[in-house]
């Protein structure tokens, strides 16, 4: 594991903000549609199941960094050797690149649909990438600072959901378990896509002071994310009917439309622009992970790798033009994320244990 100078490391409690900010992004604006199709009013149970699974995987991740070589890059070398380990590292770099696209492109679509009808995908995406590059060049601690403020400043938006209470009907949640357990588990799998992002800990773990001290904060970050998704789910399903949720593309944004104040008539504009602060650390962390993997795998500077990655993100974003293409891309990347988190990471722990025994 690399020895990171203390001046570049972060306090363990900041892991809470990194994990939470990475999980709350564009997915929080439209996840209800996917789970409503499968589990209906029982979707709140799916939220809890997905949360439980994420805690299990987080436990496995900390086992990997403890028994392995500290981060995913060196652990791959430890398990597979230099040549095959390098291949696996580059595959993960590609994974974080395509994750970046799933963050940037849907948000740009929201801006085009709700705020700037004739907005350019190129200029919006380029603006986000240039800002992300500027932040990343400031170092990992700068990224963490942005993640901290991305949790604190937009927090007021969660209180805005309470405007739906006069129109809410909580009796719709009864009877409980109206759907089969298979449907509920299937919905939790769809929701797992929104929970993705905590696997970044495999990359930034060496930057945590007394690394294992960040364990409780990582789990607290997951727990807080689960609470936010549960809160939004309950209010969404009490406000919309099950049929409506299956057809509304951005249910969260539509809920903001009912807010009418004497000094703000279209509050969704405020919510969407504020949400850009939520999106920004997602982009920064994903790009940082991809560029750091390339830096340690190919032995080029992180700045150079960043300048290689950013144009790739821009090109892929420009290729995705229609809503259907974006939906298909997000589903495809989500399936890859589920395979990595729920199959490969447990397998990697097993391989680490075997490698340790063989080397002894």
């Amino acid at each position: 594991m690399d020895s990171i100078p203390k001046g570049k490391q972060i306090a363990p409690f900041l892991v809470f903000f990194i994990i939470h900010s990475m999980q709350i992004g564009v997915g929080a604006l439209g996840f209800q549609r996917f789970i409503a199709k499968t589990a209906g009013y029982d979707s709140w149970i799916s939220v809890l199941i997905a949360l439980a699974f994420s805690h299990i995987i987080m436990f496995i991740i900390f086992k990997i960094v403890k028994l392995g070589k500290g981060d995913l890059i060196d652990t791959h070398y430890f398990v597979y050797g230099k040549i095959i380990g390098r291949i696996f590292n580059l595959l993960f770099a590609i994974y974080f690149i395509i994750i970046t696209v799933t963050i940037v492109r849907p948000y740009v679509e929201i801006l085009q649909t709700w705020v700037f009808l004739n907005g350019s995908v190129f200029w919006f995406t380029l603006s986000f990438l240039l800002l992300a590059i500027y932040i990343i060049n400031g170092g990992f601690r700068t990224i963490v600072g942005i993640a901290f403020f991305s949790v604190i400043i937009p927090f007021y938006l969660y209180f805005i959901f309470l405007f739906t209470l006069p129109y809410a009907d909580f009796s719709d949640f009864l009877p409980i378990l109206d759907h089969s357990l298979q449907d509920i588990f299937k919905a939790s799998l769809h929701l797992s896509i929104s929970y993705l992002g905590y696997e970044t800990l495999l990359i930034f773990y060496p930057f945590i002071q007394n690394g294992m001290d960040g364990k409780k904060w990582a789990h607290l970050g997951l727990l807080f994310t689960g609470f936010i998704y549960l809160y939004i789910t309950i209010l969404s399903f009490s406000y919309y009917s099950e049929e409506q949720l299956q057809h509304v593309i951005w249910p969260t944004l539509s809920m903001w439309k009912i807010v009418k104040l004497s000094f703000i008539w279209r509050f969704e504009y405020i919510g969407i622009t504020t949400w850009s602060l939520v999106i920004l650390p997602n982009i920064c962390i994903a790009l940082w992970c991809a560029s750091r993997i390339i830096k340690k795998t190919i032995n080029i500077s992180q700045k150079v790798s960043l300048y290689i990655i950013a144009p790739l993100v821009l090109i892929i974003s420009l290729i995705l033009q229609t809503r259907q293409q974006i939906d298909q891309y997000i589903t495809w990347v989500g399936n890859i994320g589920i395979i990595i988190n729920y199959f490969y990471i447990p397998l990697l722990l097993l391989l680490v244990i075997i490698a340790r025994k063989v080397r002894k």
Side-chain angles (χ1 to χ4, degrees):
M1 182 177 71
D2 287 348
S3 180
I4 306 297
K6 283 193 175 182
K8 293 185 178 181
Q9 290 183 324
I10 60 170
F13 80 91
L14 290 171
V15 175
F16 171 91
F17 296 96
I18 302 173
I19 297 298
H20 177 67
S21 65
M22 194 62 196
Q23 291 183 301
I24 297 291
V26 177
L29 302 179
F31 72 95
Q32 304 96 314
R33 177 165 59 101
F34 300 101
I35 59 177
K37 291 179 180 179
T38 309
Y41 288 109
D42 287 322
S43 293
W44 65 273
I45 303 174
S46 302
V47 175
L48 297 178
I49 293 172
L51 176 61
F53 282 138
S54 66
H55 277 287
I56 293 170
I57 301 302
M58 181 60 76
F59 175 80
I60 294 173
I61 286 173
F62 271 98
K63 277 290 184 182
I64 290 172
V65 296
K66 184 179 180 180
L67 299 176
K69 291 296 180 179
D71 68 359
L72 181 68
I73 304 159
D74 291 330
T75 299
H76 276 158
Y77 290 144
F78 176 70
V79 172
Y80 302 115
K82 284 289 182 182
I83 297 175
I84 299 177
R86 187 173 282 116
I87 294 171
F88 273 87
N89 286 338
L90 291 177
L91 288 174
F92 265 85
I94 294 170
Y95 168 68
F96 285 115
I97 291 170
I98 61 177
I99 281 287
T100 306
V101 178
T102 64
I103 299 166
V104 177
R105 187 60 186 92
Y107 185 71
V108 170
E109 184 196 17
I110 290 172
L111 290 176
Q112 288 179 305
T113 305
W114 291 75
V115 185
F116 304 102
L117 298 181
N118 297 316
S120 166
V121 175
F122 175 83
W123 289 113
F124 278 134
T125 307
L126 182 64
S127 300
F128 277 113
L129 290 174
L130 290 175
L131 183 55
I133 290 171
Y134 175 75
I135 293 168
I136 294 168
N137 285 337
F140 185 68
R141 288 167 64 93
T142 305
I143 298 172
V144 176
I146 297 296
F148 173 82
F149 286 110
S150 76
V151 176
I152 301 300
I153 295 176
F155 194 77
Y156 77 93
L157 289 174
Y158 298 124
F159 295 102
I160 301 301
F161 292 111
L162 298 176
F163 276 83
T164 62
L165 287 179
Y167 312 100
D169 185 1
F170 294 99
S171 64
D172 290 336
F173 288 95
L174 299 174
I176 298 174
L177 293 176
D178 193 38
H179 294 72
S180 68
L181 289 176
Q182 182 181 354
D183 287 340
I184 293 172
F185 273 100
K186 190 176 178 181
S188 70
L189 200 62
H190 286 303
L191 189 60
S192 295
I193 296 172
S194 298
Y195 275 98
L196 295 179
Y198 51 85
E199 65 273 19
T200 54
L201 189 137
L202 286 165
I203 311 300
F204 69 76
Y205 177 79
F207 287 81
I208 307 170
Q209 294 174 7
N210 304 317
M212 294 307 291
D213 289 346
K215 187 175 182 179
K216 67 176 181 181
W217 295 105
H219 282 284
L220 284 173
L222 289 177
L223 195 63
F224 188 53
T225 298
F227 169 77
I228 295 299
Y229 276 119
L230 183 62
Y231 171 74
I232 296 175
T233 299
I234 291 173
L235 289 179
S236 298
F237 279 84
S238 63
Y239 176 69
Y240 295 103
S241 69
E242 187 176 326
E243 291 74 21
Q244 284 177 318
L245 275 175
Q246 293 178 19
H247 297 93
V248 178
I249 297 176
W250 304 108
T252 302
L253 298 182
S254 298
M255 289 166 71
W256 285 341
K257 288 181 69 175
I258 68 169
V259 180
K260 296 291 187 292
L261 303 173
S262 59
F263 56 94
I264 299 175
W265 191 249
R266 297 297 297 272
F267 183 83
E268 65 270 24
Y269 291 171
I270 305 295
I272 291 169
T273 50
T274 303
W275 209 255
S276 63
L277 187 57
V278 177
I279 298 300
L280 186 57
N282 294 357
I283 301 170
C284 293
I285 294 169
L287 282 177
W288 181 87
C289 287
S291 60
R292 179 163 177 81
I293 292 172
I294 292 174
K295 171 193 171 183
K296 292 189 65 178
T297 304
I298 307 180
N299 293 323
I300 61 174
S301 71
Q302 194 159 355
K303 271 190 178 182
V304 172
S305 62
L306 198 58
Y307 296 142
I308 295 171
I309 292 168
L312 292 176
V313 174
L314 181 60
I315 291 168
I316 298 171
S317 298
L318 291 173
I319 292 172
L320 302 173
Q321 289 294 326
T322 66
R323 164 107 287 272
Q324 190 176 24
Q325 289 174 334
I326 295 170
D327 255 353
Q328 288 175 346
Y329 180 83
I330 292 172
T331 302
W332 174 69
V333 175
N335 291 335
I336 293 174
I338 288 171
I339 292 170
I340 287 174
N341 281 271
Y342 296 109
F343 294 96
Y344 180 71
I345 288 179
L347 175 62
L348 183 60
L349 175 60
L350 180 62
L351 294 174
V352 168
I353 293 171
I354 294 171
R356 283 172 62 90
K357 289 185 177 181
V358 169
R359 290 174 187 273
K360 281 183 180 180

